[in-house]
Amino acid sequence: MINDKPMMQSMMGERIWKLMKVDQEEFKRETREYFARACPGWTVKRVKYPIVYLQDDRPGH
């Protein structure tokens, strides 16, 4: 856990991972956008292929 908040591990599609090699800023934007839609209230905290670590920032959790 980071900052004593629950963490979740997840994955995402290769389309976004491919961006990491060619455009780091676009990769970050796409990753945040993807998880904002897929896991509302969770924040991307760390990325290490093929795992994305998410922090639970939902109110009351």
Side-chain angles (χ1 to χ4, degrees), residues 26-38:
E26 183 67 10
F27 170 75
K28 290 176 186 177
R29 188 187 70 71
E30 287 274 343
T31 299
R32 289 184 194 115
E33 194 175 287
Y34 175 86
F35 284 103
R37 286 190 310 266

Side-chain angles (χ1 to χ4, degrees), residues 3-48:
N3 298 329
D4 296 327
K5 290 203 173 186
M7 298 289 286
M8 173 172 67
Q9 294 180 18
S10 189
M11 298 174 86
M12 62 186 170
E14 286 300 315
R15 179 188 68 79
I16 298 173
W17 285 112
K18 287 178 184 177
L19 288 172
M20 187 167 68
K21 296 177 183 176
V22 295
D23 188 340
Q24 192 71 36
E25 289 306 311
E26 183 67 10
F27 170 75
K28 290 176 186 177
R29 188 187 70 71
E30 287 274 343
T31 299
R32 289 184 194 115
E33 194 175 287
Y34 175 86
F35 284 103
R37 286 190 310 266
C39 303
W42 292 78
T43 304
V44 176
K45 297 307 277 185
R46 186 170 154 222
V47 175
K48 186 172 180 178

